[in-house]
Structure formats: C-alpha cells, structure tokens
Amino acid sequence: MTPLPHRSHTDDLLSFISASPSPYHVVASVAQRLEKAGFRELRGTDDWTGTTGGSFVALGGALIAWYVPEGAPAHTPFRIVGTHTDSPNLRVKPSPDTSTAGWRQIGVEIYGGVPLNTWLDRDLGVSGRLALRGPDGTADSRLVQIDEPLLRVPQLAIHLDRTVNEGLALDRQRHLAPVWALGERAEGALLRRIAEAAEVEPERVIGWDLMLHDVQPPGYLGADREFVVSSRLDNLVSVHAGVAALVAAATAADEPAYVPVLAAFDHEEVGSGSETGAQSPLLERVLNRSVLARGGGAEDWSRALSGAFCVSADMAHAVHPNYAERHDPDHRPLPNGGPAVKVNVNQRYATDSTGVAVFASACERAGVPWQPFVSNNAMPCGTSIGPLTAARLGVATVDVGVPGLSMHSARELCGAADPGHLGAALGAFMTTG
C-alpha cells in the first residue's frame, strides 16, 4: 500500500475533531494551538496599540487570528481564510427534562440543515458552554464535554412501520427526543448530570448552550485507508487547515508578504446572522483595529482592504456514486483530487475568474491538485460565508472546499489526503504570490 500524502496532517485533524464537539470547544482548541505558536489573546476592551506578531480575538464560538510580519507597514494587505466552527446537530432546550410512557427523555431543537435519520440509533454525548453565577454576582462561563454514551434517539422497529423503506417521515418535535433513563419526568436531572461533569454546583448554572454529538471517534476507512469518516468534517476540516496555514506562515523562516488572517465564524449553518456570524462587523472591526494599532489611519485601512483577498473554505460535494445524476456531468470532484473551487454565477459562491487564478496559483506553488465544482442546474446550490464576506468588506473572494460525501450527516466522509492538500494550499495563499 502506497502511503497517501499529508498523513500526519490528517492524523492531527482527527485529534482536533475529537477535542472540538461544539463551536466553543473549536475556539478553545484553536486558541491552544495559536498560543503554543506564540500568538497572544487580545480582548476587545484591551489597548491594542503597538501590537505586532501573532494575535487573536475569541468571542463565544468565533475566533479571528492574524499575524503582523516584522516591520510590516500599516497598509499591508490582508490574506484572509474564512471558515466556520458550527455544524448541524441537535441542541438542548432550556427546560429539557421530559418523559413519555415511562421513559425519561431530553427535549432538543434542530440546529441547521440536519438529515434527521442520520441521528437515529447513535450513541450521543453532550457538549457546549455553561453560563455560571459568580460568587460576587458576576457571570462566568465554563466548557463541558461528556464523551460517553448518555443519550440515544431510538428508531421505530420495522415491525411497527412496514413502510419505513418506502420513505421515512420524522416529526421534528415528537420523533427526535432522545431517551436516557426510565421513570417519570425529573426536573433538573440533566442539569445535575451536566454540572457534575463540569465540576460546578448546579445552583451556579444560570443558562447553557448545549448540544449533542456522536461519541464514535473519527477514523480512517477503505481498503487502503484512503478516506476519513467523522462527525463535523463540515467545517472542522477547513478550520484545522486554516490554523495550520496561519501557524506555518507565522513560524516560517521568511516573513510573509501579507498579513495572514484566519476568520472562524459561528452560526454559518443558520445564516450567519449573529454577533459571531459572518454577517456581523466582527472581522471588519478586528482588522480595522489591527491597522490603527500599528499607527495607521483611514487611508492605510482602505489600502489594506483594497489589496486584500479572501479564501472562503467550506466543505464541497464529491460526486456521489449512487446519485451521480444529481451532479453536473462535467464537474464531478472526487476525494483525494485536491480542493474543489466552487462556482455559482448567481453568487451563492463568490468565485470569479480572478479568484480561480489566485487559488490555482496557490495550489501550484504548494504542489497540490485542485478541481472545479459547479452544481447541476436542476438542483439547488448551497452557499457559505464567501458572498457575505465579499459584500461586507468589499474584498475579492473565492469559495473552495474539500470534496466529501454525506454533508451535514451525523457522520461524513472525505479523502484522507485532501485536508492536507487544503492546508498546504492555504499556506501558500497566505504567504506568497
């Protein structure tokens, strides 16, 4: 068996995914890697004057990181990689404890475009963020991660629904409530279990952002282990590749010609309209402050944006062997063929010919292949943060992504070489050309 390229990158990706079951854990994982590479965290209330080198700002499930090369003038253009930290899943309601017919259950909401059937009969843990009441009346927060089989959404036996293979219809309110014990409703039971895992007193918990995740670990699949199978490939493949590229740019022997930036937004799967989403002024505000911190003014800010470019990195669709007719017959990306460059003339993707040229050049310098992607005209086209970023900042943008199958499923698939292909291409994009 010939080893696929970038295996060490993909091994590290699997560890990153396991440590990052919620957007808040993604941010914590990214921050840890950046700090190890010498980046320092800045807060919005800090004085940023004179800051150079590597910095990052974390806000909930979003993180913006950038590296200012030694001696870079304030008008140095940005090279931005945009990604998102969230994935479609089941999220815990504010008053979750319920029961039916002698079973204790948990109430959940559906977050994003979830193929509901993929969440049936899976062993599920809980992760997310707790809002805590501090001893002096102030609010605090803490991450929690339960990686053990705690809940399960049981499918109805075929004996009780003989038509299930002719089309499964799931009621989002009645059929997705997971079971986790026997008995009548026990108010506060889940809170006590979560608080125990977080090592806090239940009475300190005043709110939460909790979600379910499949506890089956990520891994390799196939005769030659040429595929990766995991939850949250969309879009942690891109976040991880962006972090690797930024760290490589910041620690290279030669200083990059640009200010490389990683923007990891939350809430992409529900439209990006939030404080930490791509529709917010978060990225614009951070980049503007980074220019001002280096003594720049309005003219420097305009010049930095005018010379800037953004790669929006999000998962793409590989051609599905069982549904090949759903794809454009002349644009059928395959796993391990390199990142797909996504095109849609109706601006569901922000790519134009200039963007193709910029990214193709980065792939060439990195020595990795790339593939064009366009949707079948008879099928709806997805979107990502690319058009939002292009419109918000007025910056040329190209949409790219690793091709995969089962997008938004509780467990997705991509090529084992492609995450490293993407990381290498983003690294070349951030630093040269």
Side-chain angles (χ1 to χ4, degrees), residues 167-191:
L168 177 63
L170 294 171
D171 184 288
R172 296 162 73 92
Q173 176 68 22
R174 294 187 296 120
H175 297 156
L176 272 296
V179 300
W180 75 309
L182 292 172
E184 297 304 313
R185 173 175 178 167
E187 192 68 43
L190 180 66
L191 170 59

Side-chain angles (χ1 to χ4, degrees), residues 334-419:
L334 284 170
N336 296 323
V341 178
K342 301 185 280 188
V343 176
N344 181 267
V345 295
N346 295 303
Q347 293 302 294
R348 300 293 286 172
Y349 303 125
T351 306
D352 62 11
S353 59
T354 302
V356 174
V358 169
F359 190 73
S361 176
C363 288
E364 183 177 342
R365 294 194 303 276
V368 303
W370 65 276
Q371 309 174 76
F373 171 82
V374 67
S375 291
N376 184 315
N377 284 332
M379 302 298 297
C381 180
T383 188
S384 188
I385 66 165
L388 297 176
T389 304
R392 177 87 208 182
L393 293 180
V395 167
T397 301
V398 58
D399 276 284
V400 309
V402 165
L405 296 180
S406 308
M407 189 183 293
H408 287 195
S409 171
R411 198 161 175 87
E412 301 162 320
L413 177 148
C414 74
D418 281 335

Side-chain angles (χ1 to χ4, degrees), residues 23-218:
Y24 315 107
H25 288 83
V26 175
V27 168
S29 296
V30 172
Q32 183 179 48
R33 288 164 180 256
L34 292 175
E35 288 174 341
K36 185 176 179 180
F39 284 65
R40 64 169 176 148
E41 182 174 6
L42 299 176
R43 304 189 185 279
T45 54
D46 293 341
D47 182 355
W48 294 10
T49 302
T51 54
T52 58
S55 306
F56 68 91
V57 172
L59 181 64
L63 181 143
I64 312 295
W66 66 101
Y67 176 76
V68 178
E70 185 69 30
H75 61 261
T76 302
F78 300 107
R79 280 291 172 102
I80 305 164
V81 170
T83 65
H84 67 88
T85 62
D86 60 319
S87 301
N89 57 18
L90 307 181
R91 302 212 169 184
V92 179
K93 290 182 175 180
S95 298
D97 298 291
T98 186
S99 67
T100 305
W103 291 87
R104 284 164 56 188
Q105 295 176 279
I106 298 301
V108 295
E109 284 190 279
I110 315 302
Y111 179 84
V114 178
L116 300 178
N117 65 298
T118 68
W119 284 80
L120 303 179
D121 296 335
R122 291 188 179 274
D123 299 336
L124 303 173
V126 180
S127 62
R129 176 178 66 174
L130 302 177
L132 306 177
R133 183 181 292 107
D136 55 356
T138 59
D140 194 7
S141 66
R142 183 171 303 187
L143 300 186
V144 62
Q145 180 173 348
I146 301 177
D147 280 329
E148 60 184 70
L150 186 65
L151 306 107
R152 185 180 179 90
V153 183
Q155 186 163 213
L156 185 64
I158 193 170
H159 312 77
L160 303 177
D161 182 7
R162 296 291 184 179
T163 66
V164 65
N165 291 325
E166 299 168 19
L168 177 63
L170 294 171
D171 184 288
R172 296 162 73 92
Q173 176 68 22
R174 294 187 296 120
H175 297 156
L176 272 296
V179 300
W180 75 309
L182 292 172
E184 297 304 313
R185 173 175 178 167
E187 192 68 43
L190 180 66
L191 170 59
R192 290 190 290 274
R193 180 67 179 82
I194 298 296
E196 178 186 10
E199 299 181 340
V200 299
E201 300 79 15
E203 57 271 17
R204 287 190 60 201
V205 180
I206 54 179
W208 57 40
D209 301 289
L210 295 173
M211 57 209 70
L212 310 189
H213 64 274
D214 185 358
V215 299
Q216 184 178 1

